[in-house]
Amino acid sequence: MKFFHLSDLHIGLKLFGRDFLEDQRYVFRQIAEAAQKEKPDAVVVAGDIYDKAVPSAEAVALFDFFVSELTAAVPKAAIMMISGNHDSGPRVNTFRNILSRQRLYMVGLPPMTNNEYIEKVTLQDEFGDVNFYLLPFVRPSMVKPVIGTDEEGGSLSYDVALRRLIGREQIDDGSRNVLVSHQFYLPAGVVPDEVERTDSEIRTVGNIDQVSADVLEQFDYAALGHIHKPMTAGKEVCCYCGTPFPTSVSEAGQKKGIILVDLKRKGEVETTVLPLKPLHEVRVIEGSLKEVLGQTCEDYVTVKLTDKVDLDVIDMQDRLQAAFPNLLEIRRDTIWRPDYEKRIEEQAKQDPFTLCCSFLKDLDDSEKAVLEDVIHTVWEVK
């Protein structure tokens, strides 16, 4: 059985105010063309369908275009999508039962009551059943009625919450099983800060959202979303496919693609990356003003000027805009930059807890514990 693994579409994304709808449409056409060529039995999207919980009308129209193109390309394929942390789970869940009759499985919410379980879609091929478990992004507070609480009545950790949710399922070890999930899975022995993350990814204080990747070992393949760079979560069959189009400047230069998964007999899995070519690349061009102006292009560009003296050029921005019609931003990496600009840049890199501590100053351990709890609570309910 063959299926496409995609994630983190982020439809409606804007970067430095620039609209990427046409770029996303261009990539979606390629995905549909690849589907028509490869004829997968299923297409899986592992969360973050939209960039915002309340997408614009234009973003919804583009999603409609994408699904229409896919269903036209592979009318017999099952299309499965889950919500991510950028999506509104209830919105994605709308018309879930009706859409499933058309082999379009839109799962926005995890099990919320004791009589609910992870949505399972079973497909068949010459080797038997393939069970797809569709688990949307989970915050522990969302599933308290199903998995319980800690000894003090509070929410369980992300790791325990995911283990209990998956542990409720009666997974047939004799069949081939695929988990579709949108979480931060961390391989054993890896420190969270060692995982390369992009600027656009939402991160929690103290990496409280991390889940040990060993919970994935019972599955023949884990189709993961949330991390924007293609990577594995420990085992080669536990994969983050990354975004199909860059969502931040920190993704500049990354090769994007679809993971084509071929499940053969139990234990036999082959993966192939089908490359996606963007309408415009996202690039960082660095050098002196003179050097940069000599590299004109129509890609989305961040310019980093390295001139070591103040540039007394009144029309500098106009000249750069003329050289790069899709200019995103201008950064000036110079020795003369004012200290306040450096401080602002450093503060922008800090997580909310560190930033609050630096502002409030001289907090004792108990006060820091209260602050951390408040930040976690706000993150949980937002």
Side-chain angles (χ1 to χ4, degrees):
M1 178 171 295
K2 296 195 301 184
F3 66 90
F4 279 7
H5 171 196
L6 296 157
S7 77
D8 297 271
L9 306 181
H10 288 276
I11 299 174
L13 167 77
K14 288 188 177 182
L15 189 57
F16 295 99
R18 286 204 174 270
D19 193 323
F20 284 175
L21 289 172
E22 282 309 308
D23 295 82
Q24 293 178 323
R25 183 184 298 270
Y26 184 82
V27 168
F28 292 162
R29 283 199 186 99
Q30 289 182 61
I31 294 170
E33 289 168 2
Q36 190 170 37
K37 178 182 178 181
E38 298 292 340
K39 294 181 171 49
D41 301 289
V43 176
V44 168
V45 178
D48 280 355
I49 299 166
Y50 293 108
D51 191 59
K52 296 185 181 301
V54 183
S56 66
E58 293 80 7
V60 175
L62 181 54
F63 175 69
D64 178 70
F65 165 82
F66 179 47
V67 174
S68 297
E69 290 286 296
L70 273 181
T71 53
V74 280
K76 295 182 180 180
I79 299 175
M80 311 178 207
M81 301 189 185
I82 62 171
S83 65
N85 57 303
H86 277 255
D87 296 309
S88 164
R91 288 174 185 269
V92 173
N93 222 54
T94 303
F95 306 123
R96 173 170 164 178
N97 292 331
I98 297 172
L99 292 173
S100 65
R101 298 171 198 163
Q102 309 301 318
R103 293 173 65 83
L104 174 57
Y105 302 90
M106 300 283 295
V107 183
L109 296 172
M112 307 290 282
T113 64
N114 283 323
N115 61 353
E116 293 179 343
Y117 291 86
I118 298 172
E119 178 86 6
K120 183 175 74 170
V121 177
T122 301
L123 305 180
Q124 290 85 28
D125 64 7
E126 66 270 30
F127 301 117
D129 291 348
V130 178
N131 302 310
F132 291 83
Y133 290 87
L134 311 182
L135 181 59
F137 178 69
V138 174
R139 292 188 178 97
S141 59
M142 298 166 60
V143 291
K144 276 185 181 180
V146 178
I147 62 171
T149 63
D150 62 20
E151 294 178 355
E152 298 178 353
S155 295
L156 297 168
S157 69
Y158 278 75
D159 186 81
V160 174
L162 265 293
R163 288 178 187 280
R164 289 194 181 181
L165 273 182
I166 294 172
R168 296 172 71 243
E169 304 298 319
Q170 295 182 348
I171 297 174
D172 179 6
D173 293 334
S175 297
R176 291 160 296 166
N177 299 294
V178 176
L179 177 68
V180 183
S181 180
H182 190 94
Q183 302 285 160
F184 179 26
Y185 290 100
L186 192 66
V190 175
V191 176
D193 292 339
E194 294 176 355
V195 178
E196 187 175 342
R197 310 285 292 275
T198 64
D199 294 341
S200 58
E201 293 176 53
I202 297 174
R203 309 180 196 191
T204 59
V205 180
N207 294 297
I208 62 164
D209 58 337
Q210 69 186 53
V211 180
S212 178
D214 61 9
V215 73
L216 305 173
E217 292 181 358
Q218 60 191 303
F219 296 96
D220 296 87
Y221 185 84
L224 306 178
H226 193 45
I227 304 298
H228 289 185
K229 180 181 178 179
M231 59 175 285
T232 58
K235 294 172 62 178
E236 292 298 316
V237 292
C238 301
C239 299
Y240 286 102
C241 60
T243 55
F245 179 83
T247 60
S248 69
V249 174
S250 57
E251 293 179 53
Q254 285 185 12
K255 300 298 182 184
K256 301 299 184 179
I258 309 160
I259 297 182
L260 171 60
V261 184
D262 191 356
L263 291 179
K264 301 180 184 297
R265 292 182 176 85
K266 178 76 175 179
E268 297 180 9
V269 184
E270 293 181 2
T271 59
T272 306
V273 177
L274 307 178
L276 293 170
K277 181 177 176 57
L279 181 61
H280 303 95
E281 299 278 358
V282 174
R283 299 175 57 193
V284 177
I285 296 180
E286 185 173 357
S288 66
L289 178 60
K290 182 179 180 181
E291 292 168 340
V292 166
L293 288 173
Q295 303 179 58
T296 60
C297 69
E298 294 189 359
D299 291 329
Y300 294 110
V301 171
T302 284
V303 168
K304 294 180 68 175
L305 297 176
T306 58
D307 299 84
K308 299 303 181 183
V309 295
D310 196 353
L311 294 171
D312 188 16
V313 182
I314 297 175
D315 63 343
M316 179 182 70
Q317 184 163 344
D318 292 336
R319 291 169 65 184
L320 288 170
Q321 190 72 61
F324 307 105
N326 290 313
L327 180 68
L328 296 176
E329 60 172 339
I330 303 170
R331 299 180 186 177
R332 304 184 68 178
D333 185 18
T334 60
I335 58 175
W336 53 268
R337 187 172 52 170
D339 287 341
Y340 74 86
E341 288 188 9
K342 297 178 183 178
R343 289 198 300 272
I344 291 172
E345 186 175 293
E346 288 301 316
Q347 288 174 350
K349 297 177 181 177
Q350 295 177 357
D351 61 65
F353 178 72
T354 304
L355 196 59
C356 287
C357 286
S358 64
F359 177 76
L360 296 172
K361 300 184 183 302
D362 302 324
L363 296 178
D364 60 31
D365 290 342
S366 62
E367 291 170 330
K368 287 182 179 179
V370 171
L371 175 62
E372 189 170 5
D373 183 61
V374 168
I375 292 174
H376 288 167
T377 300
V378 170
W379 193 88
E380 278 275 300
V381 299
K382 71 177 180 177

PDB file of all heavy atoms in Angstrom, residues 229-244:
ATOM      1  N   LYS A 229      11.310  20.960   9.799  1.00  0.00           N
ATOM      2  CA  LYS A 229      12.429  20.422   9.041  1.00  0.00           C
ATOM      3  C   LYS A 229      12.268  18.910   8.908  1.00  0.00           C
ATOM      4  O   LYS A 229      11.989  18.225   9.893  1.00  0.00           O
ATOM      5  CB  LYS A 229      13.746  20.727   9.750  1.00  0.00           C
ATOM      6  CG  LYS A 229      14.967  20.186   9.021  1.00  0.00           C
ATOM      7  CD  LYS A 229      16.247  20.493   9.768  1.00  0.00           C
ATOM      8  CE  LYS A 229      17.446  19.903   9.034  1.00  0.00           C
ATOM      9  NZ  LYS A 229      18.730  20.196   9.731  1.00  0.00           N
ATOM     10  N   PRO A 230      12.451  18.350   7.704  1.00  0.00           N
ATOM     11  CA  PRO A 230      12.362  16.894   7.572  1.00  0.00           C
ATOM     12  C   PRO A 230      13.373  16.201   8.478  1.00  0.00           C
ATOM     13  O   PRO A 230      14.558  16.545   8.500  1.00  0.00           O
ATOM     14  CB  PRO A 230      12.703  16.657   6.090  1.00  0.00           C
ATOM     15  CG  PRO A 230      12.398  17.947   5.416  1.00  0.00           C
ATOM     16  CD  PRO A 230      12.719  19.017   6.420  1.00  0.00           C
ATOM     17  N   MET A 231      12.900  15.229   9.261  1.00  0.00           N
ATOM     18  CA  MET A 231      13.773  14.511  10.189  1.00  0.00           C
ATOM     19  C   MET A 231      13.042  13.267  10.680  1.00  0.00           C
ATOM     20  O   MET A 231      11.847  13.101  10.443  1.00  0.00           O
ATOM     21  CB  MET A 231      14.163  15.390  11.387  1.00  0.00           C
ATOM     22  CG  MET A 231      12.979  15.896  12.193  1.00  0.00           C
ATOM     23  SD  MET A 231      13.433  16.822  13.677  1.00  0.00           S
ATOM     24  CE  MET A 231      13.955  15.486  14.756  1.00  0.00           C
ATOM     25  N   THR A 232      13.769  12.393  11.352  1.00  0.00           N
ATOM     26  CA  THR A 232      13.150  11.231  11.967  1.00  0.00           C
ATOM     27  C   THR A 232      13.118  11.415  13.480  1.00  0.00           C
ATOM     28  O   THR A 232      13.932  12.137  14.047  1.00  0.00           O
ATOM     29  CB  THR A 232      13.912   9.934  11.630  1.00  0.00           C
ATOM     30  OG1 THR A 232      15.265  10.052  12.078  1.00  0.00           O
ATOM     31  CG2 THR A 232      13.907   9.675  10.128  1.00  0.00           C
ATOM     32  N   ALA A 233      12.170  10.746  14.112  1.00  0.00           N
ATOM     33  CA  ALA A 233      12.063  10.780  15.568  1.00  0.00           C
ATOM     34  C   ALA A 233      12.576   9.448  16.108  1.00  0.00           C
ATOM     35  O   ALA A 233      11.802   8.605  16.575  1.00  0.00           O
ATOM     36  CB  ALA A 233      10.622  11.022  15.996  1.00  0.00           C
ATOM     37  N   GLY A 234      13.866   9.249  16.006  1.00  0.00           N
ATOM     38  CA  GLY A 234      14.463   7.992  16.464  1.00  0.00           C
ATOM     39  C   GLY A 234      14.515   6.978  15.342  1.00  0.00           C
ATOM     40  O   GLY A 234      15.461   6.933  14.552  1.00  0.00           O
ATOM     41  N   LYS A 235      13.481   6.171  15.197  1.00  0.00           N
ATOM     42  CA  LYS A 235      13.439   5.136  14.166  1.00  0.00           C
ATOM     43  C   LYS A 235      13.233   5.756  12.777  1.00  0.00           C
ATOM     44  O   LYS A 235      12.602   6.803  12.642  1.00  0.00           O
ATOM     45  CB  LYS A 235      12.315   4.140  14.465  1.00  0.00           C
ATOM     46  CG  LYS A 235      12.519   3.313  15.712  1.00  0.00           C
ATOM     47  CD  LYS A 235      11.280   2.498  16.050  1.00  0.00           C
ATOM     48  CE  LYS A 235      10.932   1.510  14.967  1.00  0.00           C
ATOM     49  NZ  LYS A 235       9.755   0.680  15.319  1.00  0.00           N
ATOM     50  N   GLU A 236      13.757   5.073  11.768  1.00  0.00           N
ATOM     51  CA  GLU A 236      13.645   5.561  10.397  1.00  0.00           C
ATOM     52  C   GLU A 236      12.204   5.607   9.910  1.00  0.00           C
ATOM     53  O   GLU A 236      11.896   6.299   8.936  1.00  0.00           O
ATOM     54  CB  GLU A 236      14.484   4.684   9.461  1.00  0.00           C
ATOM     55  CG  GLU A 236      15.986   4.811   9.673  1.00  0.00           C
ATOM     56  CD  GLU A 236      16.491   6.222   9.410  1.00  0.00           C
ATOM     57  OE1 GLU A 236      16.070   6.811   8.396  1.00  0.00           O
ATOM     58  OE2 GLU A 236      17.277   6.733  10.220  1.00  0.00           O
ATOM     59  N   VAL A 237      11.318   4.851  10.562  1.00  0.00           N
ATOM     60  CA  VAL A 237       9.921   4.824  10.132  1.00  0.00           C
ATOM     61  C   VAL A 237       9.048   5.775  10.945  1.00  0.00           C
ATOM     62  O   VAL A 237       7.814   5.754  10.829  1.00  0.00           O
ATOM     63  CB  VAL A 237       9.343   3.391  10.202  1.00  0.00           C
ATOM     64  CG1 VAL A 237      10.000   2.503   9.170  1.00  0.00           C
ATOM     65  CG2 VAL A 237       9.476   2.811  11.608  1.00  0.00           C
ATOM     66  N   CYS A 238       9.659   6.613  11.755  1.00  0.00           N
ATOM     67  CA  CYS A 238       8.940   7.650  12.504  1.00  0.00           C
ATOM     68  C   CYS A 238       9.406   8.987  11.940  1.00  0.00           C
ATOM     69  O   CYS A 238      10.462   9.503  12.325  1.00  0.00           O
ATOM     70  CB  CYS A 238       9.221   7.554  13.995  1.00  0.00           C
ATOM     71  SG  CYS A 238       8.756   5.961  14.717  1.00  0.00           S
ATOM     72  N   CYS A 239       8.639   9.560  11.023  1.00  0.00           N
ATOM     73  CA  CYS A 239       9.148  10.651  10.193  1.00  0.00           C
ATOM     74  C   CYS A 239       8.353  11.945  10.330  1.00  0.00           C
ATOM     75  O   CYS A 239       7.117  11.938  10.324  1.00  0.00           O
ATOM     76  CB  CYS A 239       9.132  10.236   8.722  1.00  0.00           C
ATOM     77  SG  CYS A 239      10.168   8.812   8.341  1.00  0.00           S
ATOM     78  N   TYR A 240       9.092  13.046  10.426  1.00  0.00           N
ATOM     79  CA  TYR A 240       8.555  14.372  10.175  1.00  0.00           C
ATOM     80  C   TYR A 240       8.881  14.694   8.724  1.00  0.00           C
ATOM     81  O   TYR A 240      10.043  14.682   8.325  1.00  0.00           O
ATOM     82  CB  TYR A 240       9.203  15.410  11.092  1.00  0.00           C
ATOM     83  CG  TYR A 240       8.745  15.359  12.531  1.00  0.00           C
ATOM     84  CD1 TYR A 240       9.541  14.769  13.512  1.00  0.00           C
ATOM     85  CD2 TYR A 240       7.526  15.915  12.909  1.00  0.00           C
ATOM     86  CE1 TYR A 240       9.117  14.711  14.839  1.00  0.00           C
ATOM     87  CE2 TYR A 240       7.101  15.870  14.231  1.00  0.00           C
ATOM     88  CZ  TYR A 240       7.901  15.274  15.195  1.00  0.00           C
ATOM     89  OH  TYR A 240       7.480  15.224  16.498  1.00  0.00           O
ATOM     90  N   CYS A 241       7.858  14.985   7.935  1.00  0.00           N
ATOM     91  CA  CYS A 241       8.104  15.267   6.519  1.00  0.00           C
ATOM     92  C   CYS A 241       8.475  16.718   6.277  1.00  0.00           C
ATOM     93  O   CYS A 241       9.008  17.065   5.222  1.00  0.00           O
ATOM     94  CB  CYS A 241       6.881  14.892   5.679  1.00  0.00           C
ATOM     95  SG  CYS A 241       5.391  15.795   6.133  1.00  0.00           S
ATOM     96  N   GLY A 242       8.216  17.589   7.269  1.00  0.00           N
ATOM     97  CA  GLY A 242       8.504  19.005   7.094  1.00  0.00           C
ATOM     98  C   GLY A 242       7.422  19.710   6.289  1.00  0.00           C
ATOM     99  O   GLY A 242       6.457  19.107   5.824  1.00  0.00           O
ATOM    100  N   THR A 243       7.579  21.001   6.119  1.00  0.00           N
ATOM    101  CA  THR A 243       6.610  21.802   5.375  1.00  0.00           C
ATOM    102  C   THR A 243       6.811  21.634   3.871  1.00  0.00           C
ATOM    103  O   THR A 243       7.934  21.442   3.412  1.00  0.00           O
ATOM    104  CB  THR A 243       6.769  23.289   5.727  1.00  0.00           C
ATOM    105  OG1 THR A 243       8.135  23.674   5.491  1.00  0.00           O
ATOM    106  CG2 THR A 243       6.434  23.567   7.180  1.00  0.00           C
ATOM    107  N   PRO A 244       5.736  21.729   3.090  1.00  0.00           N
ATOM    108  CA  PRO A 244       5.912  21.657   1.637  1.00  0.00           C
ATOM    109  C   PRO A 244       6.417  22.955   1.039  1.00  0.00           C
ATOM    110  O   PRO A 244       6.859  22.992  -0.114  1.00  0.00           O
ATOM    111  CB  PRO A 244       4.497  21.332   1.129  1.00  0.00           C
ATOM    112  CG  PRO A 244       3.594  21.901   2.163  1.00  0.00           C
ATOM    113  CD  PRO A 244       4.311  21.754   3.476  1.00  0.00           C
TER     114      PRO A 244
END
